[in-house]
Amino acid sequence: MATVVEGLSSTPLFTENKLKLGLFGANLRRGLTITTAENSYDTRWDLTEKLVRQADGMGLELIIPVGRWKGFGGPSDFHGSSYETFTWAAGLASITERSMVVATCHVPVFHPLVAAKMSTTVDHISNGRFGLNIVAGWNRPELEMFGAEFGAHETRYAKAQEWTEAVRRLWTADEEFDLDGDFYTLKAAWSRPKPIQQPHPAILFAGGSPTGRRFAAQYADIAFVVWDDLETAKGYIDELRRIAREEFNREILVFAYSLVVCRPTEKEARQYYDYCVFEKGDWKGGQTYADIVGMNTKLWDNPEKMKEKIIAGLAGYQMIGTPDM
């Protein structure tokens, strides 16, 4: 697990606190809810700054963006506007004091030398509070904008593995090195200064397939999971940690994302949920998202319920009710 130099106190993810909280998707139009409801989130820096300052002041440990280059259309223009995440993280690093700020990096888009240097820069700006969220690449329309090859599933992960090894070596190597890999060729590669975090900044990763889980177990300090009920989540997390411990001798943290609708009464919370999802929900944009992600709703026992959860919060676990609940 990534750690920081002795004496550095601004690393909330690696404290003894058992429950850690984060803010997810604050760099995107509509956030994670596919709706046209009034006052839904938008890409304005004054909104982002206000929200993140509040989260940092409350003690939330993690501020993580979604890497997005192209939206999903529909009446809500879901994710049609987004902030690039490295520069976004650098800006947030300068206005926060304790939360870890994250950049989400698509392997097919960023060369490992560029990613390593940008990561180190934000790590220094934040005084060791930076995390790198690695994405192997799943969104074909986005990659096609760059002229990047989409590739088969296993090929994408093989490339991500070589990419991650190169970035970690750039962060830690004391001398220049050459790399003649299947996907990258580096000559006399070198990057300075080195990150503040040692041996390197925290790595985050989300992968649901067996290959993705194994990648997370091998490389991630923080693994993201999507779950619908506690029992399913427990089995998934136990297996993920077993692979990390038994095959790679590592311990990893696990995060999941949730939809929170909080109101003074449960009735008010349910009414607002229904308003955002059923009255103002963008079901066309939701279907486009599901199609691109590869969520075949026909394979689910209740396809309409699945679409509802995608619109409400990209199928994240739902917590709807009062503060006490």
Side-chain angles (χ1 to χ4, degrees), residues 5 25 34 154 165 194 232 277 286 288 301 307 321:
V5 294
I34 311 177
E154 297 302 311
E165 294 280 2
K194 298 304 182 186
T232 301
V277 174
T288 301
D301 294 335
K307 292 178 185 177

Side-chain angles (χ1 to χ4, degrees), residues 205-283:
F205 187 80
S209 68
T211 305
R213 291 197 297 270
R214 184 175 177 82
F215 185 96
Q218 183 173 2
Y219 293 107
D221 300 299
I222 304 161
F224 282 95
V225 300
V226 180
W227 48 282
D228 191 50
D229 63 83
L230 294 176
E231 285 305 312
T232 301
K234 185 178 186 306
Y236 182 96
I237 293 168
D238 287 347
E239 176 63 12
L240 182 63
R241 285 180 164 156
R242 183 197 65 78
I243 297 172
R245 289 166 180 161
E246 294 182 3
E247 298 190 30
F248 302 106
N249 193 29
R250 305 180 67 248
E251 296 291 334
I252 60 176
L253 299 177
V254 176
F255 269 67
Y257 65 89
S258 299
L259 166 73
V260 179
V261 182
C262 186
R263 291 293 185 271
T265 67
E266 183 178 4
K267 180 180 179 180
E268 289 176 287
R270 291 288 174 184
Q271 286 176 338
Y272 189 68
Y273 174 90
D274 289 345
Y275 175 75
C276 290
V277 174
F278 294 109
E279 291 187 43
K280 294 290 187 175
D282 176 6
W283 290 71

Side-chain angles (χ1 to χ4, degrees), residues 63-216:
I63 310 294
I64 178 171
V66 174
R68 183 67 66 243
W69 301 97
K70 189 174 188 177
F72 298 96
S76 68
D77 186 29
F78 185 59
H79 292 184
S81 175
S82 62
Y83 286 129
E84 187 281 318
T85 65
F86 277 98
T87 46
W88 183 82
L92 296 183
S94 67
I95 64 170
T96 52
E97 296 180 358
R98 73 180 307 271
S99 298
M100 178 168 279
V101 295
V102 175
T104 297
C105 185
H106 294 86
V107 168
V109 173
F110 289 92
H111 191 279
L113 273 165
V114 176
K117 178 69 77 172
M118 291 194 298
S119 297
T120 297
T121 301
V122 185
D123 196 51
H124 279 243
I125 295 171
S126 66
N127 195 29
R129 291 184 291 115
F130 174 75
L132 180 63
N133 180 35
I134 297 172
V135 179
W138 57 266
N139 192 327
R140 185 187 292 270
E142 285 189 327
L143 297 183
E144 288 176 346
M145 287 204 308
F146 289 90
E149 183 180 356
F150 186 66
H153 181 267
E154 297 302 311
T155 303
R156 296 200 301 271
Y157 272 103
K159 184 175 183 177
Q161 182 173 1
E162 189 173 297
W163 186 96
T164 304
E165 294 280 2
V167 169
R168 293 203 308 185
R169 194 169 177 185
L170 287 160
W171 282 336
T172 58
D174 292 326
E175 298 178 351
E176 295 179 353
F177 66 91
D178 294 339
L179 173 64
D180 186 14
D182 295 327
F183 304 96
Y184 297 99
T185 300
L186 280 64
K187 299 295 183 182
W190 176 247
S191 182
R192 288 190 67 180
K194 298 304 182 186
I196 291 178
Q197 293 180 81
Q198 296 295 319
H200 54 70
I203 291 176
L204 298 80
F205 187 80
S209 68
T211 305
R213 291 197 297 270
R214 184 175 177 82
F215 185 96

